[in-house]
Amino acid sequence: MALLSDLINLNLSESTEKIIAEYIWVGGSGMDIRSKAKTLPGPVSDSQKLPKWNYDGSSTGQAPGEDSEVILYPQAIFKDPFRRGNNILVMCDAYTPAGEPIPTNKRHNAAKIFSHPDVVAEEPWYGIEQEYTLLQKDTKWPLGWPLGGYPGPQGPYYCGIGADKAFGRDIVDSHYKACLYAGINISGINGEVMPGQWEFQVGPAVGISAGDELWVARYLLERITEIAGVVLSFDPKPIQGDWNGAGAHTNYSTKSMRKDGGYEVIKKAVEKLKLRHKEHIAAYGEGNERRLTGRHETADINTFSWGVANRGASVRVGRDTEKHGKGYFEDRRPASNMDPYVVTSMIAETTILWKP
């Protein structure tokens, strides 16, 4: 008699050309990832050849009940590490039946910015450091923490090894490999400063693909923690007190910054970011004021600062960038629950298109 695991692992290519496409989109809260599956007649490698689909927007907080149909537009394809074979994951954005982007569709505006000729010419590269916290399912307390109590103070946990320092490595490593399988440019992982907290990095990725890849990487992590019976949190300050928060530091460069003399271009870009600090902060994630306190490797939310190798600044420039006179910089302000479409496009818009 077949076991459930046998059926889950069935290789469809042995009996049919049909494939399963998992359509993924961002729900009404801006952080809830939704998905549903569709059978297609055969393999597809071009997202523009995929059929549009619809869903009940009244059940995701994205449409009224009397006019609830929302249309999914396929935008990017990834290999499916869960079903494998020719099955795919499809990152979508959402529109009204009339073809207008719904208010929670942040990809649409980002795509307009990234398709601007001046932005295209600069080839903006991103590397996003996504921090997150693993929580015990029934108590919503961080993984590895004593029930209702606290572990020893921060210090041994960052990049730590050992049963009393690293909690959830099987989840983290499974996610790492799933991202590589899917075709996401995941460049690394590490344990973070607070126990039960981890980080993965997506990039280098160019333009709109940075947002697509980070959202699908989040989807994969949500699915893997679901399998493991662990709750995933992107709260920027999951535990109050003397504990590090969770951010999504965004590393950024343009073609001009990567060329000789790029350091001067970086300094001008950072000055533009300073002038629009309040606008960026408003778009960099909910609850970020609980994280950006000026402590725990953060700058104060109300004050813009930058420096070389300074992890307490709003923007950090690396030593190598200073030394070589070209390279990239790191915007350390975005919270772990930021929308990558918003943050990446806003940085490009401010530094390339905006005229003070």
Side-chain angles (χ1 to χ4, degrees), residues 283-317:
Y284 273 16
E286 292 293 324
N288 209 9
E289 71 283 351
R290 293 183 281 115
R291 167 181 161 261
L292 295 180
T293 61
R295 300 183 63 221
H296 305 107
E297 300 180 274
T298 71
D300 180 79
I301 194 168
N302 297 309
T303 308
F304 183 91
S305 60
W306 77 277
V308 176
N310 183 359
R311 294 185 183 279
S314 308
V315 169
R316 180 185 70 87
V317 175

mmCIF file of all heavy atoms in Angstrom, residues 283-317:
data_model
loop_
_atom_site.group_PDB
_atom_site.id
_atom_site.type_symbol
_atom_site.label_atom_id
_atom_site.label_comp_id
_atom_site.label_asym_id
_atom_site.label_seq_id
_atom_site.Cartn_x
_atom_site.Cartn_y
_atom_site.Cartn_z
ATOM 1 N N ALA A 283 8.401 54.213 4.079
ATOM 2 C CA ALA A 283 8.142 53.098 3.168
ATOM 3 C C ALA A 283 8.986 51.860 3.482
ATOM 4 O O ALA A 283 8.935 50.873 2.737
ATOM 5 C CB ALA A 283 8.424 53.546 1.729
ATOM 6 N N TYR A 284 9.727 51.900 4.579
ATOM 7 C CA TYR A 284 10.723 50.852 4.844
ATOM 8 C C TYR A 284 10.264 49.769 5.820
ATOM 9 O O TYR A 284 11.079 48.989 6.299
ATOM 10 C CB TYR A 284 12.022 51.495 5.344
ATOM 11 C CG TYR A 284 12.975 51.925 4.245
ATOM 12 C CD1 TYR A 284 12.551 52.057 2.924
ATOM 13 C CD2 TYR A 284 14.305 52.214 4.524
ATOM 14 C CE1 TYR A 284 13.425 52.451 1.925
ATOM 15 C CE2 TYR A 284 15.192 52.603 3.518
ATOM 16 C CZ TYR A 284 14.742 52.725 2.227
ATOM 17 O OH TYR A 284 15.620 53.108 1.226
ATOM 18 N N GLY A 285 8.957 49.699 6.107
ATOM 19 C CA GLY A 285 8.459 48.602 6.927
ATOM 20 C C GLY A 285 7.691 49.069 8.151
ATOM 21 O O GLY A 285 8.037 50.081 8.773
ATOM 22 N N GLU A 286 6.638 48.310 8.496
ATOM 23 C CA GLU A 286 5.818 48.627 9.664
ATOM 24 C C GLU A 286 6.551 48.260 10.960
ATOM 25 O O GLU A 286 7.183 47.209 11.050
ATOM 26 C CB GLU A 286 4.497 47.850 9.605
ATOM 27 C CG GLU A 286 3.565 48.287 8.476
ATOM 28 C CD GLU A 286 3.034 49.682 8.669
ATOM 29 O OE1 GLU A 286 2.769 50.060 9.831
ATOM 30 O OE2 GLU A 286 2.907 50.417 7.670
ATOM 31 N N GLY A 287 6.437 49.125 11.952
ATOM 32 C CA GLY A 287 7.041 48.849 13.260
ATOM 33 C C GLY A 287 8.536 49.073 13.309
ATOM 34 O O GLY A 287 9.200 48.691 14.282
ATOM 35 N N ASN A 288 9.082 49.722 12.292
ATOM 36 C CA ASN A 288 10.535 49.916 12.214
ATOM 37 C C ASN A 288 11.040 50.835 13.328
ATOM 38 O O ASN A 288 12.211 50.786 13.692
ATOM 39 C CB ASN A 288 10.898 50.498 10.841
ATOM 40 C CG ASN A 288 12.286 50.101 10.367
ATOM 41 O OD1 ASN A 288 12.943 49.252 10.963
ATOM 42 N ND2 ASN A 288 12.736 50.713 9.293
ATOM 43 N N GLU A 289 10.137 51.669 13.874
ATOM 44 C CA GLU A 289 10.546 52.563 14.961
ATOM 45 C C GLU A 289 10.942 51.769 16.208
ATOM 46 O O GLU A 289 11.718 52.245 17.044
ATOM 47 C CB GLU A 289 9.426 53.574 15.291
ATOM 48 C CG GLU A 289 8.205 52.991 15.972
ATOM 49 C CD GLU A 289 7.265 52.233 15.037
ATOM 50 O OE1 GLU A 289 7.449 52.291 13.800
ATOM 51 O OE2 GLU A 289 6.331 51.573 15.558
ATOM 52 N N ARG A 290 10.428 50.554 16.353
ATOM 53 C CA ARG A 290 10.817 49.707 17.489
ATOM 54 C C ARG A 290 12.221 49.148 17.316
ATOM 55 O O ARG A 290 12.857 48.761 18.291
ATOM 56 C CB ARG A 290 9.814 48.562 17.653
ATOM 57 C CG ARG A 290 8.430 49.009 18.088
ATOM 58 C CD ARG A 290 7.487 47.843 18.321
ATOM 59 N NE ARG A 290 6.939 47.304 17.082
ATOM 60 C CZ ARG A 290 7.179 46.083 16.609
ATOM 61 N NH1 ARG A 290 7.990 45.264 17.263
ATOM 62 N NH2 ARG A 290 6.635 45.680 15.482
ATOM 63 N N ARG A 291 12.689 49.114 16.080
ATOM 64 C CA ARG A 291 14.018 48.568 15.781
ATOM 65 C C ARG A 291 15.086 49.650 15.666
ATOM 66 O O ARG A 291 16.194 49.509 16.201
ATOM 67 C CB ARG A 291 13.941 47.770 14.472
ATOM 68 C CG ARG A 291 15.267 47.393 13.872
ATOM 69 C CD ARG A 291 15.104 46.618 12.566
ATOM 70 N NE ARG A 291 16.322 46.659 11.803
ATOM 71 C CZ ARG A 291 16.565 47.482 10.779
ATOM 72 N NH1 ARG A 291 15.621 48.334 10.385
ATOM 73 N NH2 ARG A 291 17.714 47.462 10.150
ATOM 74 N N LEU A 292 14.768 50.753 14.961
ATOM 75 C CA LEU A 292 15.752 51.812 14.719
ATOM 76 C C LEU A 292 15.812 52.764 15.911
ATOM 77 O O LEU A 292 15.233 53.845 15.903
ATOM 78 C CB LEU A 292 15.404 52.574 13.433
ATOM 79 C CG LEU A 292 15.470 51.780 12.129
ATOM 80 C CD1 LEU A 292 15.107 52.655 10.943
ATOM 81 C CD2 LEU A 292 16.865 51.165 11.922
ATOM 82 N N THR A 293 16.532 52.337 16.943
ATOM 83 C CA THR A 293 16.590 53.086 18.202
ATOM 84 C C THR A 293 17.939 53.753 18.442
ATOM 85 O O THR A 293 18.099 54.490 19.406
ATOM 86 C CB THR A 293 16.314 52.140 19.387
ATOM 87 O OG1 THR A 293 17.325 51.115 19.400
ATOM 88 C CG2 THR A 293 14.940 51.497 19.265
ATOM 89 N N GLY A 294 18.904 53.460 17.570
ATOM 90 C CA GLY A 294 20.264 53.931 17.811
ATOM 91 C C GLY A 294 21.080 52.933 18.612
ATOM 92 O O GLY A 294 22.263 53.164 18.881
ATOM 93 N N ARG A 295 20.463 51.822 18.967
ATOM 94 C CA ARG A 295 21.158 50.737 19.677
ATOM 95 C C ARG A 295 21.071 49.467 18.839
ATOM 96 O O ARG A 295 20.360 49.409 17.847
ATOM 97 C CB ARG A 295 20.532 50.503 21.062
ATOM 98 C CG ARG A 295 20.576 51.710 21.970
ATOM 99 C CD ARG A 295 20.004 51.372 23.335
ATOM 100 N NE ARG A 295 20.791 50.354 24.016
ATOM 101 C CZ ARG A 295 20.272 49.337 24.719
ATOM 102 N NH1 ARG A 295 18.951 49.207 24.813
ATOM 103 N NH2 ARG A 295 21.057 48.464 25.325
ATOM 104 N N HIS A 296 21.795 48.439 19.258
ATOM 105 C CA HIS A 296 21.761 47.139 18.606
ATOM 106 C C HIS A 296 22.058 47.239 17.097
ATOM 107 O O HIS A 296 21.324 46.740 16.264
ATOM 108 C CB HIS A 296 20.402 46.443 18.843
ATOM 109 C CG HIS A 296 20.051 46.315 20.280
ATOM 110 N ND1 HIS A 296 19.066 47.099 20.866
ATOM 111 C CD2 HIS A 296 20.556 45.536 21.256
ATOM 112 C CE1 HIS A 296 18.978 46.790 22.150
ATOM 113 N NE2 HIS A 296 19.864 45.838 22.418
ATOM 114 N N GLU A 297 23.152 47.928 16.798
ATOM 115 C CA GLU A 297 23.638 48.050 15.410
ATOM 116 C C GLU A 297 22.645 48.761 14.491
ATOM 117 O O GLU A 297 22.485 48.407 13.335
ATOM 118 C CB GLU A 297 23.988 46.678 14.828
ATOM 119 C CG GLU A 297 25.064 45.926 15.599
ATOM 120 C CD GLU A 297 25.375 44.583 14.981
ATOM 121 O OE1 GLU A 297 24.672 43.605 15.311
ATOM 122 O OE2 GLU A 297 26.309 44.493 14.165
ATOM 123 N N THR A 298 21.966 49.776 15.019
ATOM 124 C CA THR A 298 21.053 50.570 14.191
ATOM 125 C C THR A 298 21.313 52.055 14.418
ATOM 126 O O THR A 298 21.869 52.458 15.450
ATOM 127 C CB THR A 298 19.569 50.301 14.517
ATOM 128 O OG1 THR A 298 19.251 50.872 15.804
ATOM 129 C CG2 THR A 298 19.250 48.817 14.498
ATOM 130 N N ALA A 299 20.903 52.862 13.443
ATOM 131 C CA ALA A 299 20.879 54.311 13.613
ATOM 132 C C ALA A 299 19.511 54.708 14.160
ATOM 133 O O ALA A 299 18.535 53.970 14.021
ATOM 134 C CB ALA A 299 21.128 55.000 12.268
ATOM 135 N N ASP A 300 19.436 55.865 14.767
ATOM 136 C CA ASP A 300 18.149 56.378 15.232
ATOM 137 C C ASP A 300 17.264 56.684 14.040
ATOM 138 O O ASP A 300 17.724 57.223 13.024
ATOM 139 C CB ASP A 300 18.364 57.633 16.076
ATOM 140 C CG ASP A 300 17.046 58.203 16.580
ATOM 141 O OD1 ASP A 300 16.498 57.669 17.554
ATOM 142 O OD2 ASP A 300 16.557 59.167 15.955
ATOM 143 N N ILE A 301 15.989 56.349 14.142
ATOM 144 C CA ILE A 301 15.061 56.480 13.020
ATOM 145 C C ILE A 301 14.910 57.925 12.541
ATOM 146 O O ILE A 301 14.651 58.176 11.349
ATOM 147 C CB ILE A 301 13.673 55.894 13.395
ATOM 148 C CG1 ILE A 301 12.810 55.700 12.136
ATOM 149 C CG2 ILE A 301 12.972 56.749 14.447
ATOM 150 C CD1 ILE A 301 11.567 54.869 12.381
ATOM 151 N N ASN A 302 15.104 58.897 13.413
ATOM 152 C CA ASN A 302 14.880 60.300 13.058
ATOM 153 C C ASN A 302 16.114 61.002 12.500
ATOM 154 O O ASN A 302 16.027 62.143 12.042
ATOM 155 C CB ASN A 302 14.387 61.072 14.288
ATOM 156 C CG ASN A 302 13.048 60.554 14.776
ATOM 157 O OD1 ASN A 302 12.112 60.432 13.997
ATOM 158 N ND2 ASN A 302 12.965 60.228 16.056
ATOM 159 N N THR A 303 17.254 60.327 12.531
ATOM 160 C CA THR A 303 18.505 60.963 12.143
ATOM 161 C C THR A 303 19.202 60.169 11.050
ATOM 162 O O THR A 303 19.437 58.965 11.219
ATOM 163 C CB THR A 303 19.449 61.086 13.358
ATOM 164 O OG1 THR A 303 18.754 61.719 14.434
ATOM 165 C CG2 THR A 303 20.690 61.883 13.001
ATOM 166 N N PHE A 304 19.529 60.804 9.944
ATOM 167 C CA PHE A 304 20.258 60.128 8.872
ATOM 168 C C PHE A 304 21.756 60.279 9.108
ATOM 169 O O PHE A 304 22.245 61.365 9.420
ATOM 170 C CB PHE A 304 19.906 60.719 7.502
ATOM 171 C CG PHE A 304 20.585 60.006 6.361
ATOM 172 C CD1 PHE A 304 19.971 58.934 5.729
ATOM 173 C CD2 PHE A 304 21.861 60.392 5.945
ATOM 174 C CE1 PHE A 304 20.606 58.258 4.689
ATOM 175 C CE2 PHE A 304 22.501 59.726 4.903
ATOM 176 C CZ PHE A 304 21.865 58.660 4.273
ATOM 177 N N SER A 305 22.470 59.190 8.949
ATOM 178 C CA SER A 305 23.925 59.230 9.082
ATOM 179 C C SER A 305 24.531 58.210 8.133
ATOM 180 O O SER A 305 23.876 57.254 7.715
ATOM 181 C CB SER A 305 24.339 58.909 10.523
ATOM 182 O OG SER A 305 23.890 57.603 10.888
ATOM 183 N N TRP A 306 25.771 58.435 7.759
ATOM 184 C CA TRP A 306 26.464 57.431 6.955
ATOM 185 C C TRP A 306 27.942 57.424 7.339
ATOM 186 O O TRP A 306 28.461 58.391 7.891
ATOM 187 C CB TRP A 306 26.274 57.682 5.459
ATOM 188 C CG TRP A 306 27.095 58.786 4.851
ATOM 189 C CD1 TRP A 306 26.812 60.122 4.865
ATOM 190 C CD2 TRP A 306 28.326 58.643 4.134
ATOM 191 N NE1 TRP A 306 27.781 60.820 4.200
ATOM 192 C CE2 TRP A 306 28.724 59.946 3.734
ATOM 193 C CE3 TRP A 306 29.126 57.559 3.778
ATOM 194 C CZ2 TRP A 306 29.900 60.185 3.015
ATOM 195 C CZ3 TRP A 306 30.292 57.791 3.058
ATOM 196 C CH2 TRP A 306 30.666 59.080 2.683
ATOM 197 N N GLY A 307 28.590 56.316 7.066
ATOM 198 C CA GLY A 307 30.000 56.209 7.406
ATOM 199 C C GLY A 307 30.614 54.961 6.820
ATOM 200 O O GLY A 307 29.908 54.040 6.389
ATOM 201 N N VAL A 308 31.926 54.945 6.795
ATOM 202 C CA VAL A 308 32.655 53.784 6.290
ATOM 203 C C VAL A 308 32.755 52.752 7.400
ATOM 204 O O VAL A 308 33.183 53.056 8.510
ATOM 205 C CB VAL A 308 34.062 54.198 5.794
ATOM 206 C CG1 VAL A 308 34.850 52.973 5.360
ATOM 207 C CG2 VAL A 308 33.947 55.200 4.654
ATOM 208 N N ALA A 309 32.280 51.540 7.110
ATOM 209 C CA ALA A 309 32.345 50.395 8.041
ATOM 210 C C ALA A 309 31.573 50.644 9.335
ATOM 211 O O ALA A 309 31.822 49.971 10.332
ATOM 212 C CB ALA A 309 33.808 50.028 8.344
ATOM 213 N N ASN A 310 30.638 51.575 9.333
ATOM 214 C CA ASN A 310 29.892 51.917 10.544
ATOM 215 C C ASN A 310 28.537 51.217 10.541
ATOM 216 O O ASN A 310 27.630 51.619 9.810
ATOM 217 C CB ASN A 310 29.712 53.435 10.621
ATOM 218 C CG ASN A 310 28.996 53.874 11.894
ATOM 219 O OD1 ASN A 310 28.607 53.043 12.718
ATOM 220 N ND2 ASN A 310 28.832 55.170 12.043
ATOM 221 N N ARG A 311 28.379 50.199 11.371
ATOM 222 C CA ARG A 311 27.124 49.456 11.424
ATOM 223 C C ARG A 311 26.065 50.164 12.270
ATOM 224 O O ARG A 311 24.944 49.692 12.374
ATOM 225 C CB ARG A 311 27.374 48.035 11.945
ATOM 226 C CG ARG A 311 28.209 47.215 10.980
ATOM 227 C CD ARG A 311 28.372 45.770 11.397
ATOM 228 N NE ARG A 311 29.246 45.075 10.469
ATOM 229 C CZ ARG A 311 28.874 44.577 9.300
ATOM 230 N NH1 ARG A 311 27.620 44.698 8.913
ATOM 231 N NH2 ARG A 311 29.727 43.971 8.502
ATOM 232 N N GLY A 312 26.425 51.279 12.853
ATOM 233 C CA GLY A 312 25.454 52.079 13.580
ATOM 234 C C GLY A 312 24.962 53.263 12.778
ATOM 235 O O GLY A 312 24.320 54.160 13.324
ATOM 236 N N ALA A 313 25.249 53.259 11.477
ATOM 237 C CA ALA A 313 24.837 54.348 10.594
ATOM 238 C C ALA A 313 23.629 53.930 9.766
ATOM 239 O O ALA A 313 23.345 52.743 9.609
ATOM 240 C CB ALA A 313 25.993 54.746 9.674
ATOM 241 N N SER A 314 22.929 54.916 9.214
ATOM 242 C CA SER A 314 21.801 54.625 8.317
ATOM 243 C C SER A 314 22.293 53.950 7.049
ATOM 244 O O SER A 314 21.663 53.017 6.540
ATOM 245 C CB SER A 314 21.068 55.920 7.944
ATOM 246 O OG SER A 314 20.722 56.674 9.073
ATOM 247 N N VAL A 315 23.412 54.444 6.536
ATOM 248 C CA VAL A 315 24.028 53.892 5.328
ATOM 249 C C VAL A 315 25.491 53.593 5.621
ATOM 250 O O VAL A 315 26.215 54.451 6.149
ATOM 251 C CB VAL A 315 23.909 54.882 4.147
ATOM 252 C CG1 VAL A 315 24.783 54.433 2.975
ATOM 253 C CG2 VAL A 315 22.455 55.024 3.706
ATOM 254 N N ARG A 316 25.899 52.382 5.297
ATOM 255 C CA ARG A 316 27.287 51.961 5.526
ATOM 256 C C ARG A 316 27.990 51.777 4.182
ATOM 257 O O ARG A 316 27.468 51.144 3.272
ATOM 258 C CB ARG A 316 27.327 50.643 6.295
ATOM 259 C CG ARG A 316 28.740 50.114 6.573
ATOM 260 C CD ARG A 316 28.694 48.740 7.231
ATOM 261 N NE ARG A 316 28.234 47.725 6.294
ATOM 262 C CZ ARG A 316 29.026 47.054 5.445
ATOM 263 N NH1 ARG A 316 30.317 47.313 5.396
ATOM 264 N NH2 ARG A 316 28.511 46.142 4.639
ATOM 265 N N VAL A 317 29.174 52.329 4.086
ATOM 266 C CA VAL A 317 30.038 52.104 2.927
ATOM 267 C C VAL A 317 31.164 51.169 3.366
ATOM 268 O O VAL A 317 31.769 51.366 4.425
ATOM 269 C CB VAL A 317 30.622 53.436 2.399
ATOM 270 C CG1 VAL A 317 31.629 53.179 1.276
ATOM 271 C CG2 VAL A 317 29.504 54.348 1.925
#
